Amino acid sequence: MADEPQKKPQLSALVGHTNGLTKPASLAAAATRAGGGGSATASSKKLVIKNFRERPKLPDNYTQDTWQKLHEAVGAIQSSISIKYNLEELYQAVENLCSYKVSATLYKQLRQVCEDHVKAQILQFREDSLDSLLFLKKINKCWQDHCRQMIMIRSIFLFLDRTYVLQNSMLPSIWDMGLELFRNHVISDKQVQNKTIDGILLLIERERNGEAVDRSLLRSLLSMLSDLQVYKESFEQRFLEETNCLYAAEGQRLMQEREVPEYLHHVNKRLEEEGDRVITYLDHSTQKPLIACVEKQLLGEHLSAILQKGLDNLLDENRISDLTQTYQLFSRVKGGQQILLQHWSEYIKNKGNALQFMNLTGRDCEMSRCCVNEGEVVLSVKYDGLDDLQRSIPTQTILFCDSVMHILNLRYLGSLVFVLLHSEMLLEKDVSKRSQ
């Protein structure tokens, strides 16, 4: 073993090694070139994207085939059957056609299909055998189906509606186009319109007579007329005319049959009923002329008759609730308050005139009771009838004092001064209490 020569480490094996790691020969060569100051570098290249030389063309017959597919989908919607194609696929087809400048043709084709369908609906309403209620239900179903169909059709052609139609202000949107077609070809037909309005008015008349009617049907039909923009000229004018005739006749009849409190209660009930109709199914724009019509025919035409027939009795019996209702209703009519106050003033003066023939003690006591009692009536009716105390109290207070002064000036003024003072104190006290 000692005779064997000692092996020298092979240093050549460490060539190309750094920190014990071996570099590939290629890296080493590159490093050598870089260290040697080599100037050869790889040149960088830019990525350039160019447009197509020609716009891609649609396949042959693509426009016709796509429209045929859309036509079938619209027909399925109008026939209430399932659509064979996916809705997303149909939407994409519309977008493709619009992208290739077929929007104008597509809109015209869609309008024609919808118009043909709406025109065909008019035939079912020409049957004379339908009674009023069945006719109303049938046209309401036709309207509801039409709205549902147009919503689905618009969802398919939404891209057309939001691009081509939106950019052409002269064209109605797809929804407005549907309304226009239904108005022109269904509801504008004289026979259909007359039967519709007659049926609606008949239902309202039955309800006014106390019968139960389908209010949801009325609400749907009147909303239809409003949406189609024919509510005022086709319905409201006739409705107000019939309302005017109804309440004119009713006012004349009930004024002869009923006592004043009962009649005024009926008037108040009628006003509440008509207000409820406006809330439930009539258009809001009808409220003002409708209420004015009821007030005119049931109150305005009978103001003097109501007061001559029943005011004295109400005051004699001190019926505050009925007097309050009288004041409230008369306040709704132009000039009603003034007529009521004039009659009331005459009542006080007539009471004073009737007391001239009584003896002093009895007359003074009666006049005192009359004045004080009338002051209480003033306050009760006034405050129960109006919320705005400060605006309305002066007229009646002055009128009351004038009437009392008429009584006091009749005779024995000195002995009845305390009556006026007591009445004034009563008024001021109650005004202060209620204003707080």
Side-chain angles (χ1 to χ4, degrees):
M1 297 291 294
D3 297 335
E4 294 181 1
Q6 187 177 1
K7 294 183 178 180
K8 295 181 179 180
Q10 298 179 359
L11 298 178
S12 61
L14 298 179
V15 176
H17 287 227
T18 304
N19 294 331
L21 298 177
T22 304
K23 288 184 179 181
S26 59
L27 292 179
T32 303
R33 288 196 302 270
S39 59
T41 59
S43 60
S44 60
K45 294 184 178 180
K46 294 182 178 179
L47 181 63
V48 178
I49 300 176
K50 297 182 179 180
N51 294 328
F52 290 112
R53 294 182 180 179
E54 294 182 1
R55 187 179 182 182
K57 295 182 179 180
L58 291 174
D60 294 340
N61 299 324
Y62 178 82
T63 302
Q64 292 81 358
D65 294 342
T66 303
W67 167 244
Q68 184 61 34
K69 183 188 299 184
L70 294 170
H71 190 187
E72 292 179 11
V74 172
I77 292 173
Q78 293 171 338
S79 303
S80 299
I81 60 177
S82 60
I83 304 174
K84 294 190 301 183
Y85 308 100
N86 184 277
L87 293 179
E88 184 177 355
E89 178 185 354
L90 295 173
Y91 180 91
Q92 187 62 52
V94 172
E95 184 176 351
N96 291 339
L97 291 178
C98 292
S99 300
Y100 281 86
K101 309 300 182 182
V102 194
S103 303
T105 304
L106 184 61
Y107 183 85
K108 291 178 181 178
Q109 291 173 324
L110 176 62
R111 181 185 177 91
Q112 188 62 51
V113 171
C114 293
E115 186 171 15
D116 292 341
H117 175 73
V118 173
K119 283 182 177 179
Q121 303 306 306
I122 195 66
L123 299 176
Q124 62 182 311
F125 301 116
R126 299 193 183 279
E127 302 177 20
D128 295 331
S129 58
L130 291 175
D131 68 3
S132 177
L133 184 58
L134 288 178
F135 179 86
L136 292 180
K137 289 182 177 180
K138 199 164 189 176
I139 198 168
N140 181 61
K141 183 179 183 303
C142 180
W143 165 248
Q144 297 295 335
D145 290 344
H146 177 74
C147 292
R148 176 181 53 80
Q149 292 163 10
M150 293 308 301
I151 290 173
M152 293 189 66
I153 291 172
R154 182 180 180 273
S155 67
I156 294 175
F157 291 84
L158 187 61
F159 189 86
L160 175 69
D161 202 36
R162 290 185 174 178
T163 55
Y164 173 73
V165 177
L166 195 62
Q167 294 167 4
N168 292 269
S169 58
M170 300 301 293
L171 293 178
S173 67
I174 293 177
W175 174 257
D176 290 339
M177 176 189 71
L179 296 180
E180 179 184 319
L181 294 175
F182 197 90
R183 179 176 61 248
N184 293 342
H185 299 294
V186 178
I187 206 63
S188 291
D189 182 87
K190 289 298 181 183
Q191 182 180 351
V192 173
Q193 185 176 122
N194 289 338
K195 290 191 71 173
T196 302
I197 302 303
D198 290 344
I200 293 174
L201 293 175
L202 180 60
L203 286 184
I204 296 176
E205 180 182 356
R206 289 177 179 174
E207 186 181 45
R208 283 170 169 169
N209 292 333
E211 298 182 32
V213 299
D214 188 349
R215 295 185 125 201
S216 62
L217 176 62
L218 284 172
R219 180 170 56 250
S220 178
L221 290 172
L222 291 172
S223 296
M224 174 191 72
L225 297 179
S226 182
D227 292 339
L228 297 176
Q229 299 180 356
V230 295
Y231 177 88
K232 285 190 174 296
E233 59 268 25
S234 66
F235 169 76
E236 187 179 74
Q237 185 176 357
R238 284 189 58 189
F239 171 69
L240 293 176
E241 289 174 356
E242 294 202 5
T243 300
N244 192 68
C245 294
L246 170 69
Y247 286 126
E250 184 174 276
Q252 293 288 346
R253 175 172 54 84
L254 294 183
M255 273 300 299
Q256 298 177 4
E257 296 177 358
R258 301 188 180 186
E259 296 298 326
V260 169
E262 187 181 1
Y263 178 80
L264 293 178
H265 177 74
H266 175 79
V267 173
N268 195 58
K269 179 183 176 183
R270 283 301 201 190
L271 288 169
E272 291 177 353
E273 289 174 351
E274 297 302 335
D276 180 61
R277 287 188 182 93
V278 173
I279 295 173
T280 306
Y281 53 78
L282 293 174
D283 190 83
H284 182 70
S285 62
T286 308
Q287 180 176 8
K288 187 174 181 179
L290 174 60
I291 298 302
C293 177
V294 180
E295 292 172 346
K296 178 178 182 294
Q297 296 301 333
L298 295 184
L299 288 172
E301 298 293 334
H302 308 286
L303 293 179
S304 297
I306 292 172
L307 296 175
Q308 292 172 2
K309 185 177 181 179
L311 181 62
D312 290 0
N313 293 334
L314 298 181
L315 290 170
D316 288 341
E317 298 172 11
N318 200 27
R319 296 168 65 173
I320 300 300
S321 60
D322 291 331
L323 288 168
T324 299
Q325 185 178 59
T326 303
Y327 182 85
Q328 290 173 339
L329 291 175
F330 273 58
S331 299
R332 302 176 69 112
V333 183
K334 185 177 180 180
Q337 272 192 6
Q338 190 60 33
I339 296 176
L340 176 61
L341 296 179
Q342 289 174 356
H343 279 74
W344 180 55
S345 176
E346 291 298 323
Y347 170 83
I348 298 175
K349 293 176 181 179
N350 292 336
K351 280 291 185 180
N353 292 333
L355 296 176
Q356 290 187 73
F357 303 101
M358 298 175 61
N359 60 59
L360 176 61
T361 305
R363 190 189 64 165
D364 287 351
C365 294
E366 182 63 21
M367 292 176 73
S368 300
R369 185 199 64 77
C370 174
C371 295
V372 174
N373 180 62
E374 292 305 322
E376 293 173 348
V377 170
V378 172
L379 295 172
S380 298
V381 174
K382 171 57 69 175
Y383 299 137
D384 291 341
L386 289 178
D387 295 328
D388 192 352
L389 171 63
Q390 295 179 348
R391 176 177 62 82
S392 57
I393 187 60
T395 301
Q396 288 202 20
T397 304
I398 293 171
L399 180 60
F400 168 69
C401 292
D402 288 345
S403 303
V404 172
M405 286 302 300
H406 172 78
I407 298 176
L408 296 179
N409 286 331
L410 292 175
R411 194 175 177 185
Y412 299 106
L413 177 61
S415 63
L416 292 177
V417 169
F418 76 95
V419 174
L420 180 58
L421 295 176
H422 179 75
S423 301
E424 183 180 359
M425 179 185 67
L426 178 65
L427 287 167
E428 291 177 353
K429 180 179 179 182
D430 207 83
V431 166
S432 176
K433 179 180 68 176
R434 293 176 181 270
S435 62
Q436 292 175 358

